Amino acid sequence: MGLTSETTVYVMAVAAAVGVALLVWLWPRFARQGVWQVLGRLAALGMTQVVIVAAFACWLNSSYQFFGSWGELFGRVETAPLGVSQGGVGTVSGISLKGALVQPASDEQLSRVSGLPTGPAAENGRVESVKIIGRRTGVIDPAFVYLPPQYFQKAYKRQRFPVIVALSGYPGSIFNLAQYLRVSQTAGDLQRRGQMQPTIMVMIRPTIAPPRDTECVNVPGGPQTETFLARDLPEALKSTYRVGHAASAWGVMGYSSGGTCALQLTMRDPHVYTTAAALSPDYKIREDPTTGSLFGTGPDRSDRINAHDLMWRLKHLPIPDVSVLVADSKHGERGYPQTQAFVKAVKAPMRVVAILPDEGSHNFPTWVREMPPALTWMGQQLTFPQDVVPRHLKKGSAAATPPKLSHGPLRAEGPKPTPRLKTHK
């Protein structure tokens, strides 16, 4: 039984019901006086509570896909040799992937996501379930990749596309990005209506060593999360998909700790990502029981801590030439004062805009409201790559110059009013 399967949920629910029934049935036997009877009552109560909590946890994990397998739950993470010698034969977007850095993955989670494109890919686009293999880190991380309709159209067959990497929070999953944040569905709708240029969306989790929260940090002697997201991931995508090679075509976004990671990557690695959208982020990475020691020990520890404090970086280091969007609610979220302070601290050449709704919470309904303006803004920052895939000199090949893109007027999304963007110079 898989950890996220309905069978596991039903089995745990039955076990909880049986546990409660046995407790009620056997309680009179434990009601007598004596040490063993008292210990029996305590053991019966404890076991019943454990089974009930386990059943609830299985249902919650099945709904939100925090952990995709028993191995992930117990910290057994799939890894690849640094030489990347493993990998089966498969195809992603018609490309042979024997030994490649992007491998096809199971559609088990993807099949449970609602609202994904169906029908001809050249008309509606497609979402693929893949595994990203890190050549440097040896990490294997699941991902969903949304490819717009133009990716499959003959007129664009030699054209590269801008890409946005969407990061989940902790202990979130790519299922949360697809089902609850509606990343590919929102991007596809905006692109169909001309409010966003054709863009590849990559949904991935920054938790590369579950259940540990590594917060996009290269942990001394531990998981190298920043290296995976800033070097391995772009390399893998560029080797498989027609994505832009220049940093101006790359953006990263996320919610909660994923938003924190998006800001960190853009400000620390501006040669990779030039645009970020952060929904309810933090501006300093802190250690807690879920992270363990992120910065190691020794004389360099304080330097590592400061390097991941964005306010410290704005004050003491050269300002990167990047564009960022931050979002926080005035009422309902604790990070609003920190977001205001960050916006005020940003200086040229860095640019910042903000989504500041009056009310909201640290949850998906709030982030879903913020997604359309955030993606629309990101699409306006990213350049549509001018580089093209080398053309084979043969009859019937596509023209070297792709068709021009047009963008319609920007409109509000959804039944609720869309939060406005505030630009700060």
Side-chain angles (χ1 to χ4, degrees), residues 364-382:
F364 285 109
T366 297
W367 299 324
V368 166
R369 288 182 59 211
E370 296 166 348
M371 276 290 291
L375 283 177
T376 300
W377 175 84
M378 291 190 78
Q380 295 167 348
Q381 311 310 309
L382 300 177

Side-chain angles (χ1 to χ4, degrees), residues 321-340:
D321 186 7
V322 296
S323 299
V324 300
L325 177 150
V326 291
D328 244 314
S329 302
K330 296 180 182 178
H331 305 288
E333 293 193 84
R334 295 180 297 178
Y336 183 73
Q338 289 75 28
T339 294
Q340 283 187 311

Side-chain angles (χ1 to χ4, degrees), residues 48-59:
T48 303
Q49 291 180 357
V50 166
V51 176
I52 292 173
V53 171
F56 176 77
C58 281
W59 168 80

Side-chain angles (χ1 to χ4, degrees), residues 280-281 283 326-328 335-344 354-356:
S280 306
Y283 301 94
V326 291
D328 244 314
Y336 183 73
Q338 289 75 28
T339 294
Q340 283 187 311
F342 176 80
V343 168
K344 293 178 181 178
I355 300 176
L356 304 172

Side-chain angles (χ1 to χ4, degrees), residues 193-359:
R193 293 193 286 156
Q195 296 181 344
M196 183 181 180
Q197 62 187 343
T199 303
I200 293 175
M201 306 294 299
V202 180
M203 292 160 272
I204 197 166
R205 60 181 186 180
T207 308
I208 65 170
R212 184 179 183 183
D213 179 15
T214 52
E215 289 283 342
C216 291
V217 172
N218 280 345
V219 181
Q224 303 294 289
T225 312
E226 183 177 5
T227 296
F228 175 75
L229 293 171
R231 301 186 68 185
D232 284 346
L233 176 61
E235 177 188 52
L237 295 173
K238 290 174 183 178
S239 71
T240 303
Y241 297 102
R242 300 197 315 274
V243 297
H245 285 197
S248 60
W250 283 73
V252 58
M253 68 175 303
Y255 66 89
S256 191
S257 61
T260 303
C261 184
L263 289 178
Q264 293 276 338
L265 288 171
T266 304
M267 294 183 63
R268 289 174 55 86
D269 301 279
H271 58 287
V272 179
Y273 301 102
T274 57
T275 302
L279 313 181
S280 306
D282 290 322
Y283 301 94
K284 179 179 181 179
I285 291 180
R286 297 178 174 84
E287 295 175 337
D288 61 37
T290 66
T291 66
S293 176
L294 294 176
F295 305 108
T297 58
D300 295 333
R301 175 178 166 82
S302 60
D303 292 337
R304 297 192 190 102
I305 293 174
N306 288 335
H308 287 278
D309 182 339
L310 300 186
M311 298 296 289
W312 185 92
R313 293 184 69 89
L314 288 173
K315 185 176 181 180
H316 295 92
L317 297 180
I319 305 298
D321 186 7
V322 296
S323 299
V324 300
L325 177 150
V326 291
D328 244 314
S329 302
K330 296 180 182 178
H331 305 288
E333 293 193 84
R334 295 180 297 178
Y336 183 73
Q338 289 75 28
T339 294
Q340 283 187 311
F342 176 80
V343 168
K344 293 178 181 178
V346 169
K347 297 174 290 187
M350 186 173 172
R351 298 158 298 280
V352 61
V353 298
I355 300 176
L356 304 172
D358 289 332
E359 293 185 359

Side-chain angles (χ1 to χ4, degrees), residues 77-86 133-140:
V77 183
E78 184 182 15
T79 59
L82 292 180
V84 195
S85 59
Q86 74 174 54
I133 302 176
R135 184 173 63 85
R136 298 167 185 80
T137 59
V139 168
I140 298 179

